[in-house]
């Protein structure tokens, strides 16, 4: 770790403008706690760093980007293609996460209906605050627009008209019948680990944001959490956590359950309950009045992380087995830093490795990190000796706020983060690979009439279509790279939709080949 390098992420801790004394006290208390945790793990990080003595033939790649940018999804694409055995072994275990994603969506709908029936006012969103300052000469953003929601979040509505008259006994009944899902949710979250929490910040309630601290093995854990708490969790590997979740039994709900994990059709209690609720869930999701209420409250579940309600017929079944695509779309928030090892087949690296030995570039370590603001300080120790950064910047989010800090525009955050990463001395020789991600959602949003220039005044009168927006953003990111790079380094830009595994396969292969080529070129120089 470059102990002498100033923290490039310090900018994320500058006090927001117009902070009240109360807000300041809360922020300082939060920061003090974070520092305490950070100090506690510092020794552990150093020990880990020594332990994972760098093998000069191991290619290290870091996935960076804000939360929900698609880092873990990109990693899944890598593993699906290049670590097939481990991927297949793990696939079934994702069932519990997908089930929890579904349950969260249903509970959210039920809560919204209840609020509508009770005549609750629509949450007013966060107060209008100026964005955190962008560096000079980058006047990209308009002031935040209160009506711009993060996907899948509740925000303002111009209409205050209650729609409760649309909601009838049928909805009350559905709500009652779906009641058991709450218990299932609690149980699943408990079994998946103490870290399975939703992140909510004011109006930015992230509906699909399940959070689980994944410790793949003791040597890869960055240790954001005090050791004594880790013992409480008892979760040491992703596989363990997922398996615990998928054998979840909800004992008190059904008298017929046994403890051996086998239920009707080879399922478990969670699977049974979900299957028995299938028709009610479908009735709820397809109900016209429900759609009207969701629209009124600007809740775009179908664009949110971990959305599976259109697949209930297939998924809420006793014999459900997740497909590759299901696993890729499943949402499980990453906390800390996860390490994945991929060993490439000799033939896939040999064409490049001719000059310096057949094994060069065969072993890769991919690091997936938690992207929320509070987790970024854990990244720095992993910057050392990194061959390439794959940076995920979601391009559909120009009108959205961060979940963890609803004052901050997501695209602005991506630019700031990219700037910090590009300017890091430790990464000065790393290849920079940028994924302009979530192109599908960008196209959808633009088709629905959202105007980019309202959020980015500097966009001007360019066409409001995806290719023009991508070209514009690509230039902005390139410009930052040029300004911030201490030395000229390799860089590659891709427009991606990483949940589209077919399209992403070609990108992943191109990325793999270019990382390897650059790595071997550097190795020859050394
Ligand atoms: N529609 C769409 N959804 C995407 C795309 N990329 C990722 N997602 C979804 O967005 C959600 C968040 O993706 P993740 O890969 O978990 O995000 P992350 O960057 O790892 O987030 P953290 O772990 O919180 O840092 C998941 O439900 C993905 O399926 C995309 O290109 N299009
Ligand atoms: Mg992740």
């Amino acid at each position: 770790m470059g102990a002498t390098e100033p923290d490039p992420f310090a900018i994320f801790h500058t006090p927001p403008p117009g902070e009240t004394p109360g807000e300041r006290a809360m922020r300082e208390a939060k920061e003090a706690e974070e520092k305490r945790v950070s100090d506690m793990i510092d020794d552990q990080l150093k020990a880990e760093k020594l332990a994972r003595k760098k093998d000069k033939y191991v290619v290290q790649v870091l996935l960076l980007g804000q939360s929900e940018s698609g880092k873990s999804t990109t990693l899944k694409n890598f593993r699906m293609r290049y670590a097939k055995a481990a991927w297949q072994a793990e696939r079934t275990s994702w069932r519990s996460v997908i089930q929890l994603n579904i349950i969260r969506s249903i509970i959210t709908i039920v809560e919204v209906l209840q609020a509508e029936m009770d005549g609750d006012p629509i949450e007013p969103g966060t107060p209008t605050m100026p964005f955190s300052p962008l560096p000079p000469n980058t006047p990209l953003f308009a002031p935040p627009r209160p009506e711009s929601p993060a996907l899948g979040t509740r925000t303002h509505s111009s209409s205050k008209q209650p729609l409760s008259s649309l909601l009838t006994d049928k909805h009350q009944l559905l709500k009652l019948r779906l009641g058991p899902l709450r218990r299932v949710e609690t149980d699943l979250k408990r079994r998946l680990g103490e870290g399975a929490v939703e992140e909510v910040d004011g109006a930015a309630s992230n509906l699909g944001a399940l959070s689980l601290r994944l410790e793949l093995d003791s040597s890869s854990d960055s240790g954001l959490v005090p050791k004594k708490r880790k013992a409480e969790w008892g979760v040491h590997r992703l596989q363990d956590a997922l398996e615990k979740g998928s054998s979840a039994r909800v004992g008190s709900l059904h008298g017929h359950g046994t403890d051996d994990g086998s239920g009707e059709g080879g399922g478990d209690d969670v699977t049974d309950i979900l299957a028995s609720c299938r028709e009610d869930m479908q009735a709820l999701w397809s109900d016209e009045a429900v759609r009207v209420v969701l629209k009124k409250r600007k809740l775009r579940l179908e664009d949110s992380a971990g959305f599976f309600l259109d697949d209930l017929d297939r998924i809420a079944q006793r014999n459900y087995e997740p497909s590759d695509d299901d696993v890729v779309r499943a949402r499980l928030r990453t906390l800390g830093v996860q390490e994945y090892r991929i060993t490439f087949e000799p033939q896939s690296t040999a064409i490049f490795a001719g000059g310096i030995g057949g094994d060069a570039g065969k072993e890769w370590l991919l690091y997936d990190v938690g992207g929320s603001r509070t987790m970024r300080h854990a990244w720095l120790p992993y910057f050392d000796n990194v061959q390439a950064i794959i940076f995920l910047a979601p391009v559909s989010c120009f009108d959205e706020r961060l979940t963890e800090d609803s004052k901050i525009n997501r695209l602005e955050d991506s630019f700031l983060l990219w700037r910090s990463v590009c300017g890091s001395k430790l990464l000065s020789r790393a290849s920079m690979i940028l994924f302009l991600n979530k192109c599908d959602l960008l196209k959808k949003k633009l088709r629905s009439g959202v105007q980019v220039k309202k959020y980015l005044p500097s966009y001007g009168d360019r066409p409001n279509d995806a290719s023009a927006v991508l070209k514009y953003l690509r230039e902005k990111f390139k410009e930052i790279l040029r300004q911030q790079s201490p030395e000229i380094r390799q860089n590659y830009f891709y427009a991606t939709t990483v949940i589209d595994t077919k399209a992403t396969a070609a990108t992943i292969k191109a990325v793999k080949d270019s990382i390897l080529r650059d790595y071997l070129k550097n190795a020859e120089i050394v």
Side-chain angles (χ1 to χ4, degrees), residues 1 9 50 113 152 171 218 249 272 318 349 379 469 503 509:
M1 174 176 176
F9 305 115
L50 277 177
L113 290 190
H171 300 101
S218 53
R249 306 201 60 82
D272 285 349
R318 288 186 170 80
T349 55
W379 299 2
V469 174
K509 180 169 186 319

Side-chain angles (χ1 to χ4, degrees), residues 33 85 149 187 227 232 242 270 287 321-322 343 348 378 404 408 448 469 522:
E33 172 62 10
D187 202 66
K227 282 177 192 150
E232 284 169 26
L242 294 177
V270 171
D287 186 88
E321 283 294 328
T343 306
S348 71
E404 69 271 25
I408 308 295
S448 78
V469 174
N522 287 342

